[in-house]
Amino acid sequence: MKTLKALTALLGVLILISCSTNNNKTVDDILNSTYRVYHISGYEGPNIDINQDSLARFLVALHYNIPLSEIESALEWSPETTQRNIDALIENKVLTKTDDYYQPTLAIFTLERGNVLEEKAQKVANEIADSIVNRLPEIKEIHNESNISQRHDFRELSFFYLCNVVLDNFQIQRVEEEFLNQERPLRNGVRYYLGILEDDLAGNTEPYGIYGNRGLYWDDSIGISVFGNRRTESNVGWDNYEDKNIHLFDEHDTQLITQKMPDLFFPTLLDILEKNRPGFEATYRELNFDEETSFEEFFIFWYHWIYTEATDVLIKRDIIQKPENDMFYYQIAVLE
């Protein structure tokens, strides 16, 4: 029975991989789908906005090897418009041309690919969740050192600590520097990661329920951000922090959550990622991302699936308490 289940699962993955590498969509399918563009860029953003002028859909259509003439007709572009957009995409290094063939050079996460990555993230996500549980007493000790602990208990902050602090926003630079060991791709003078995610709109969350961080306000002394997975049009007012319950981390607490707490868990996280590197690289090739983008750009987005899955495991185990409306608003000090 276990062998049969394993074979069935393998067949499903192979089918999804096959779907992701063949042209099984028309231009109309792409125009009627929803795509979200994400970039990871630090303080500088791309010099081109592929959310505008149907550029993201144009790139997705090229990913599916749809003839340029069909795309141009469906988008109602003139030949001049098509050439102008192609030139801009090539200049910003999100598209290349070899002879008459155009190849997107960024991470395109179709539903087929995304479903495979979500499935394949579960094993390593469970390893990460187990390791967080093992380090929980030490993480709680750091919380007890904080001033915010006098106003909020660990459980109330658990979603923020165990996802955003030890896995995502306050950890991801270390993942880049010590696991990927590569600078972000250089595109037209700016270094950033760029990805297009297809969204099936199955829920009220962002694609695949991925948790992410967004800065809402910043000055010389404080920064206000939100962490969660409902930064969507359906969640009206999510970016209006003024009427939200904002958790305040003073300068002392900011040092704990940006340095001491992520430092504590990073060696364990790095060991897990290194152990699973061969599998990560195999998936990169199996899904043909190696034809479009670097392993580093592919992985940094897949890592979002992985830490989201790990967080959901901890929620199911009742280690993490999800905040109201699945969104955590907080203020930190700007450290010199």
Side-chain angles (χ1 to χ4, degrees):
M1 182 63 70
K2 288 184 179 179
T3 302
L4 179 59
K5 288 182 178 179
L7 288 173
T8 302
L10 177 60
L11 179 61
V13 169
L14 291 174
I15 290 172
L16 287 169
I17 291 173
S18 175
C19 289
S20 72
T21 57
N22 294 323
N23 178 11
N24 65 330
K25 283 197 176 184
T26 66
V27 181
D28 286 340
D29 291 333
I30 293 167
L31 293 180
N32 291 324
S33 298
T34 300
Y35 297 93
R36 299 183 186 273
V37 177
Y38 291 88
H39 72 266
I40 302 171
S41 59
Y43 296 104
E44 294 184 309
N47 291 318
I48 187 171
D49 183 359
I50 64 171
N51 279 301
Q52 301 295 320
D53 303 322
S54 300
L55 294 180
R57 284 180 166 78
F58 178 69
L59 291 166
V60 173
L62 291 176
H63 161 80
Y64 281 108
N65 297 318
I66 296 173
L68 185 61
S69 59
E70 290 184 26
I71 306 172
E72 182 179 82
S73 175
L75 294 177
E76 298 181 349
W77 287 356
S78 68
E80 294 77 16
T81 298
T82 301
Q83 191 59 54
R84 183 175 65 251
N85 288 333
I86 286 174
D87 290 345
L89 292 168
I90 290 175
E91 179 184 8
N92 285 277
K93 298 189 182 301
V94 291
L95 184 69
T96 59
K97 180 183 180 183
T98 303
D99 297 326
D100 291 328
Y101 178 73
Y102 292 95
Q103 173 66 55
T105 55
L106 75 166
I108 298 178
F109 297 92
T110 62
L111 288 180
E112 298 89 356
R113 282 173 157 180
N115 289 332
V116 173
L117 294 175
E118 187 174 45
E119 177 68 27
K120 285 177 170 281
Q122 292 177 8
K123 175 181 175 292
V124 64
N126 274 287
E127 292 180 44
I128 292 171
D130 289 342
S131 296
I132 287 176
V133 171
N134 291 338
R135 305 302 295 271
L136 207 53
E138 296 161 275
I139 296 172
K140 287 182 176 180
E141 285 181 11
I142 296 174
H143 163 72
N144 292 336
E145 295 175 25
S146 70
N147 294 320
I148 200 173
S149 65
Q150 299 174 24
R151 304 184 302 276
H152 303 283
D153 63 23
F154 179 85
R155 184 166 175 78
E156 184 180 348
L157 306 179
S158 58
F159 174 69
F160 175 72
Y161 283 152
L162 302 183
C163 188
N164 199 28
V165 173
V166 304
L167 295 178
D168 182 23
N169 189 51
F170 300 112
Q171 193 74 280
I172 201 163
Q173 185 175 349
R174 294 174 175 86
V175 173
E176 289 184 55
E177 293 174 351
E178 299 191 41
F179 177 67
L180 298 178
N181 295 307
Q182 291 285 338
E183 289 189 273
R184 296 169 180 178
L186 179 64
R187 294 181 167 109
N188 196 11
V190 186
R191 291 193 180 276
Y192 61 90
Y193 299 112
L194 187 65
I196 300 173
L197 276 69
E198 186 174 3
D199 189 352
D200 64 1
L201 301 177
N204 293 322
T205 69
E206 295 173 58
Y208 301 94
I210 289 174
Y211 302 110
N213 193 81
R214 178 72 61 85
L216 301 176
Y217 173 82
W218 202 267
D219 64 23
D220 292 338
S221 58
I222 65 164
I224 298 175
S225 299
V226 60
F227 183 73
N229 63 5
R230 296 200 59 203
R231 301 169 298 172
T232 63
E233 293 178 1
S234 64
N235 186 17
V236 178
W238 68 266
D239 54 351
N240 179 14
Y241 62 87
E242 294 180 350
D243 63 351
K244 303 299 191 297
N245 176 28
I246 299 178
H247 299 81
L248 304 178
F249 294 86
D250 61 21
E251 185 171 343
H252 170 261
D253 294 355
T254 298
Q255 289 178 329
L256 294 180
I257 64 172
T258 61
Q259 299 171 22
K260 189 170 184 177
M261 194 176 287
D263 285 351
L264 169 70
F265 189 68
F266 183 71
T268 301
L269 176 62
L270 183 61
D271 285 346
I272 293 171
L273 296 181
E274 287 291 0
K275 183 178 69 172
N276 286 278
R277 184 188 290 270
F280 297 150
E281 293 176 344
T283 298
Y284 168 66
R285 294 188 296 270
E286 287 169 6
L287 295 182
N288 294 329
F289 279 99
D290 57 334
E291 298 178 2
E292 295 177 345
T293 191
S294 65
F295 171 76
E296 291 76 23
E297 186 162 63
F298 154 77
F299 180 79
I300 208 66
F301 281 102
W302 190 17
Y303 179 67
H304 287 66
W305 266 269
I306 291 168
Y307 73 65
T308 292
E309 288 289 319
T311 302
D312 287 340
V313 168
L314 294 172
I315 290 170
K316 290 176 183 177
R317 296 184 189 178
D318 200 32
I319 302 296
I320 285 178
Q321 174 181 286
K322 293 183 77 171
E324 181 181 357
N325 199 30
D326 300 339
M327 303 285 273
F328 186 96
Y329 294 81
Y330 65 98
Q331 175 182 306
I332 61 173
V334 175
L335 302 177
E336 295 183 0

